[in-house]
């Protein structure tokens, strides 16, 4: 009888871990061992997770996990109703917190979808129709005019050709005349080849700048001998047609990463496009181009002097001779596509002032047609030119991209780019 009691007392001195099969010889060792269980582990994303090894509840920190596991242990040794209730309440609280996190992630994702035009709210056509419907409701447009304008829009969309409603011509010619007759505070001015301005319409307001800048660039390429023969059968497309052109290029194997980002679809959306999509469009037309990245400011006060230097070198490439260049140089170069977060513009010229400073001449699709056409009148062009001149202090976004046209793709290049 004595020996049985002795064996029983020895068994009581062993301390099994409630979380695994290990048996410890002392409570101190057991406590250290259990704490290792409670330290959490890394998730697939590299974040530390504090997951209960007994019921898989995820706690917010190690302290909460320890309290939670102690409830399990107390419950197993002493099924106190209060402890059971506390455990249930804690599990409910953790579940509520996880649900809130999921809901917040979903809301942030939807916000990003709306911001980038991927929320399924309709594209150019639907936005135009809604704008006209609103104008009718406000008495600004008659029902008859609504149907006439809608028919015009549908005809343009069916043909794939931009209707030219926001197009302004003769801008570069006017700038040349302005610098020749009015403006004297400069050493040199370089201008790109003849280029039309395409402004935003009610159908693409808020998201169409990338498409409009492509129209601006294409209008210039069609007037440059190097590219005109390649583009002789090409018209300036409307925005939905540009979207379908990008989708067709994706199907040919161009930019699979971008295609995946947009889920292979642009038509019927208000999705913004940027420098990569401009590159894809040009490549699909047989035109060589390159993207130049300016990842961070390189000057004082968050300015980008390297960007300005690059643009100057671009425009100077046609006047590299031993003799001094003219004060006004009308190059045969197409404009540059300039992208920053949330917006894009077209660089149509570069000015070097007498005090040594530089400025870019930028056409903005967001500018109203009335403001752009002030460049065409001698009475208003001084004020209008000031609006398109941008100095380093005016370009202070953290990152910029330029797209520069480089010539015509060779047969070998085409084989490399396309399937």
């Amino acid at each position: 009888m004595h020996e049985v009691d002795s064996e029983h007392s020895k068994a009581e001195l062993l301390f099994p871990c409630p979380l695994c099969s290990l048996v410890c010889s002392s409570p101190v060792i057991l406590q250290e061992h259990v704490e290792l269980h409670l330290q959490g582990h890394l998730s697939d994303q590299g974040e530390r997770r504090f997951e209960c090894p007994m019921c898989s509840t995820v706690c917010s920190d190690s302290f909460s996990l320890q309290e939670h596991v102690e409830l399990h242990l107390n419950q197993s040794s002493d099924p106190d109703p209060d402890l059971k209730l506390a455990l249930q309440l804690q599990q409910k609280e953790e579940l509520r917190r996880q649900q809130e996190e999921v809901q917040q992630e979903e809301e942030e994702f939807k916000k990003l979808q709306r911001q980038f035009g991927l929320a399924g709210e309709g594209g150019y056509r639907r936005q135009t129709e809604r704008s006209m419907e609103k104008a009718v409701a406000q008495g600004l447009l008659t029902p008859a005019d609504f149907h006439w304008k809608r028919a015009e829009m549908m005809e343009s969309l069916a043909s794939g050709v931009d209707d030219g409603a926001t197009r302004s011509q003769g801008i570069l010619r006017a700038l040349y005349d302005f610098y020749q007759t009015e403006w004297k505070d400069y050493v040199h001015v370089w201008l790109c080849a003849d280029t039309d301005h395409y402004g935003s319409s009610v159908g693409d307001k808020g998201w169409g700048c990338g498409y409009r800048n492509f129209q601006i660039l294409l209008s210039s390429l069609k007037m440059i001998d190097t590219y005109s023969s390649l583009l002789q059968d090409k018209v300036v497309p409307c925005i939905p047609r540009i979207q379908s052109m990008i989708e067709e290029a994706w199907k040919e194997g161009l930019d699979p990463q971008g295609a995946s980002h947009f889920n292979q679809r642009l038509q019927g959306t208000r999705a913004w496009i940027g420098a990569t999509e401009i590159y894809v469009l040009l490549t699909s037309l047989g035109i060589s181009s390159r993207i130049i990245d300016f990842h961070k400011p390189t000057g004082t006060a968050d300015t980008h002097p390297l960007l300005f230097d690059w643009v100057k070198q671009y425009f100077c490439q046609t006047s590299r001779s031993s003799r001094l260049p003219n004060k006004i140089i009308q190059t045969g170069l197409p404009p540059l596509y300039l992208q920053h977060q949330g917006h894009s513009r077209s660089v149509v010229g570069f000015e070097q002032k007498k005090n040594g400073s530089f400025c870019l001449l930028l056409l903005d699709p967001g500018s109203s047609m009335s403001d752009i056409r002030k460049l065409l009148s001698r009475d208003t062009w001084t004020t209008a030119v000031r609006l398109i001149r941008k100095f380093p202090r005016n370009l202070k976004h953290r990152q910029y991209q330029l797209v520069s046209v480089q010539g015509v793709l060779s047969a070998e290049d085409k084989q490399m780019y396309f399937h």
Side-chain angles (χ1 to χ4, degrees), residues 63-262:
F63 179 74
S64 300
L65 176 60
Q66 185 171 348
E67 283 188 334
H68 175 82
V69 172
E70 284 174 359
L71 289 174
H72 276 297
L73 301 179
N74 290 332
Q75 184 183 26
S76 61
S77 61
D78 181 15
D80 188 327
D82 292 337
L83 290 174
K84 183 181 290 188
L85 177 62
L87 179 61
Q88 291 172 348
L89 291 175
Q90 186 179 33
Q91 288 174 334
K92 286 182 179 179
E93 177 62 24
E94 290 296 336
L95 180 61
R96 184 192 63 78
R97 182 184 61 80
Q98 292 173 32
Q99 289 173 338
E100 285 182 352
E101 288 178 356
V102 170
Q103 184 178 356
Q104 184 177 356
E105 288 177 359
E106 288 177 350
E107 288 174 356
E108 289 176 354
F109 180 68
K110 289 178 180 177
K111 184 179 178 181
L112 284 172
Q113 282 187 314
R114 289 192 297 272
Q115 179 182 350
F116 291 101
L118 299 171
E121 297 174 346
Y124 180 88
R125 171 186 165 181
R126 189 69 195 108
Q127 184 166 316
T128 303
E129 288 176 335
R130 284 175 180 166
S131 176
M132 292 193 297
E133 288 165 358
K134 186 177 179 181
V136 171
Q138 294 173 340
L140 303 175
L141 191 68
T142 67
D145 285 339
F146 168 83
H147 290 293
W148 177 69
K149 286 181 176 292
R150 186 177 182 278
E152 264 193 339
M153 176 191 69
M154 297 303 291
E155 184 180 347
S156 172
L157 297 184
S159 69
V161 181
D162 186 82
D163 60 11
T166 67
R167 176 189 181 193
S168 297
Q169 298 174 277
I171 304 299
L172 271 298
R173 182 72 249 177
L175 284 173
Y176 186 92
D177 292 342
F178 167 79
Y179 279 105
Q180 196 168 40
T181 60
E182 296 287 331
W183 200 249
K184 304 301 180 186
D185 186 27
Y186 67 91
V187 178
H188 298 292
V189 172
W190 291 266
L191 300 173
C192 73
D194 198 10
T195 300
D196 297 337
H197 177 268
Y198 285 80
S200 299
S201 68
V202 294
D204 61 284
K205 186 177 181 182
W207 57 273
C209 58
Y211 303 95
R212 295 300 185 181
N213 279 306
F214 175 69
Q215 291 177 328
I216 289 172
L217 177 55
L218 190 59
S219 75
S220 182
L221 292 172
K222 286 170 62 65
M223 292 183 271
I224 299 173
D225 290 342
T226 305
Y227 309 100
S228 59
S229 58
L230 187 67
L231 302 171
Q232 60 183 352
D233 297 327
K234 304 292 183 183
V235 294
V236 175
C238 60
I239 287 178
R241 175 59 189 142
I242 296 173
Q243 292 178 319
S244 69
M245 288 168 65
I246 297 172
E247 291 179 2
E248 289 163 11
W250 288 339
K251 290 175 183 175
E252 291 291 323
L254 286 172
D255 190 27
Q257 187 175 356
S260 176
H261 170 76
F262 288 106

